[in-house]
Amino acid sequence: MEEHLTVGRVAELAEVSVRTLHHYDEIGLVRSSARTAAGYRAYSPADVERLREVLGYRRLGIGLREIADLVGDPAVDAVAHLRRLRGLLLEQRARAAATVTAIDRELAARAKGIRTPPEEQLKMLGAQLYDSIGSAYPATRRTEPRIAAKVWDALADARTVLNVGAGTGSYEPTGRDVIAVEPSAVMRAQRPADAAPCIAAAAESLPFEDKSFDAAMAFSTVHHWQDPIAGLREMRRVARRVVVFTYDASSPGWLQRFWLTRDYLPEFADLLVDWPSLADLTEAIGGRAEPVLVPWDCADGFFEAHWRRPEAYLDERVRRAVSVWTRVGPEAEQRAVEELRDDLASGRWAERNRDLVAHDAAELGLRLLVA
């Protein structure tokens, strides 16, 4: 009994009521595995671990019946639950940051005597707000042909292709049978009429049989997944070949290689805490990693695209189409933009980065994983 905690102590530490713990025990959600000499419930380390998972999901607003299914899955261990919880919390944080940004904009508008339309007021606190990142895609996110060529070459002779986290379908290959998977309704709605068929599903649980496709691809989406390793393994399960465009945040000095994160947005590092290493990502698919250089005139406006065109980061349309800016929060974004604007005006940015004009492409940590 020395390793066990009494129900009162557990309630105190977890900041829940004893009545709540009794209810969880009675419905079989979290059972106490022992009793004290006085007959009170007592919790073992394993009981506490399960309770932590239950309370983590509960505080995300998930219902008890759904939580029971989640924690009762024998194929998911404690580490997987922690990764899943972390992903959900990051998404919640991103939603909160986006809400703050929207509120700040309305406050600024009201200070000028401008009232926000009713439709926008309702969107502010709805699920559509987080998807507003996707709504900015058509303006600045387009297929970069030189990068697309690398992706399509890596697909080799695959005839059937699954595009996971497909977004609007910018990098889907032509002349092949493609099925797309995309969880965001906003992204799905923006897919062209002639785009590949698209279903609503998550990378971590692909609704396909083993080896259903010649190849599975994922372009600049892994960082949005709740469990990147699980998603990559799913891709490997359903396809004989896997091609993934992603980011390496494990090499020494990775934060310093891009002037934007080095000098203006160090908060970028916080977004990749516990991000799997490049070795872990490649191991998940059993493949290799190849560097992908970013051309100076890259047509696709992803985060690193404007490395030789710094003025682009002053354009809010550019920033809104990149999730990084929403995830770091409005204070970090405003500070970074103001500092960059000042340095461009003073010539400090040009002096600090004068060597960049001599390069037509930059190595900024983007990687193509192929298996």
Side-chain angles (χ1 to χ4, degrees):
M1 293 298 299
E2 292 181 357
E3 294 184 356
H4 287 63
L5 296 175
T6 65
V7 64
R9 181 59 174 157
V10 169
E12 177 186 357
L13 292 171
E15 297 184 352
V16 297
S17 68
V18 171
R19 183 177 180 179
T20 294
L21 296 178
H22 285 176
H23 179 62
Y24 288 172
D25 199 334
E26 290 165 1
I27 65 175
L29 189 57
V30 183
R31 294 191 183 280
S32 57
S33 59
R35 296 273 177 169
T36 66
Y40 295 109
R41 290 175 171 86
Y43 292 77
S44 70
D47 300 335
V48 170
E49 187 173 86
R50 183 179 174 97
L51 177 62
R52 178 193 63 193
E53 294 163 0
V54 168
L55 293 177
Y57 288 126
R58 191 74 184 107
R59 288 168 183 173
L60 284 165
I62 300 175
L64 293 181
R65 184 172 297 178
E66 186 177 357
I67 291 174
D69 293 336
L70 290 170
V71 299
D73 186 349
V76 181
D77 60 15
V79 172
H81 279 298
L82 287 174
R83 287 189 180 277
R84 180 185 289 166
L85 279 168
R86 182 179 182 276
L88 291 169
L89 287 167
L90 285 175
E91 181 178 346
Q92 188 180 71
R93 184 175 72 178
R95 287 179 181 270
T99 302
V100 170
T101 299
I103 290 173
D104 287 344
R105 287 177 186 149
E106 179 163 354
L107 287 172
R110 294 214 173 199
K112 299 176 182 178
I114 302 172
R115 292 188 63 86
T116 304
E119 294 86 352
E120 294 302 317
Q121 293 181 34
L122 293 175
K123 287 181 180 180
M124 181 182 296
L125 298 178
Q128 296 174 3
L129 178 63
Y130 186 60
D131 284 336
S132 66
I133 296 172
S135 66
Y137 266 56
T140 63
R141 303 299 298 270
R142 307 178 185 89
T143 301
E144 166 48 55
R146 287 157 290 191
I147 295 178
K150 289 182 174 293
V151 174
W152 299 341
D153 285 347
L155 292 173
D157 59 353
R159 301 308 308 165
T160 58
V161 179
L162 176 67
N163 188 12
V164 181
T168 58
S170 297
Y171 288 85
E172 288 173 2
T174 58
R176 313 194 196 208
D177 295 328
V178 179
I179 298 292
V181 167
E182 172 53 53
S184 169
V186 168
M187 288 294 196
R188 294 196 304 272
Q190 293 182 87
R191 292 176 62 83
D194 59 350
C198 185
I199 64 173
E204 296 87 347
S205 183
L206 296 173
F208 303 104
E209 299 293 332
D210 293 358
K211 307 304 178 188
S212 298
F213 299 89
D214 294 333
M217 62 175 285
F219 190 93
S220 195
T221 178
V222 176
H223 56 286
H224 290 301
W225 299 354
Q226 293 180 13
D227 189 337
I229 298 300
L232 292 174
R233 287 173 177 166
E234 272 288 270
M235 292 179 66
R236 189 59 175 162
R237 179 185 66 80
V238 303
R240 286 174 282 277
R241 189 173 186 84
V242 177
V243 178
V244 178
F245 182 81
T246 187
Y247 185 78
D248 175 18
S250 58
S251 58
W254 66 272
L255 192 65
Q256 306 300 312
R257 63 192 167 206
F258 185 24
W259 57 263
L260 183 56
T261 57
R262 180 192 68 209
D263 300 329
Y264 302 97
L265 202 65
E267 291 85 356
F268 181 66
D270 297 335
L271 306 182
L272 296 175
V273 172
D274 296 331
W275 173 251
S277 68
L278 185 63
D280 290 337
L281 295 172
T282 53
E283 183 181 359
I285 63 171
R288 66 183 188 279
E290 304 172 357
V292 178
L293 301 184
V294 183
W296 78 269
D297 55 349
C298 184
D300 190 349
F302 50 74
F303 184 58
E304 300 85 358
H306 307 287
W307 60 271
R308 219 180 82 175
R309 296 168 289 169
E311 295 83 2
Y313 294 106
L314 304 182
D315 188 339
E316 187 171 350
R317 294 174 304 169
V318 169
R319 300 197 305 276
R320 291 286 68 79
V322 178
S323 63
V324 168
W325 295 103
T326 297
R327 295 176 66 194
V328 297
E331 292 184 7
E333 178 181 3
Q334 183 177 359
R335 188 211 64 245
V337 171
E338 289 178 353
E339 291 179 356
L340 176 57
R341 181 181 288 110
D342 290 344
D343 285 353
L344 288 172
S346 68
R348 186 182 182 194
W349 184 92
E351 175 62 24
R352 183 185 287 166
N353 300 284
R354 59 182 179 276
D355 295 337
L356 294 184
V357 295
H359 299 281
D360 292 329
E363 205 292 87
L364 297 174
L366 300 177
R367 298 289 182 268
L368 194 64
L369 313 184
V370 183

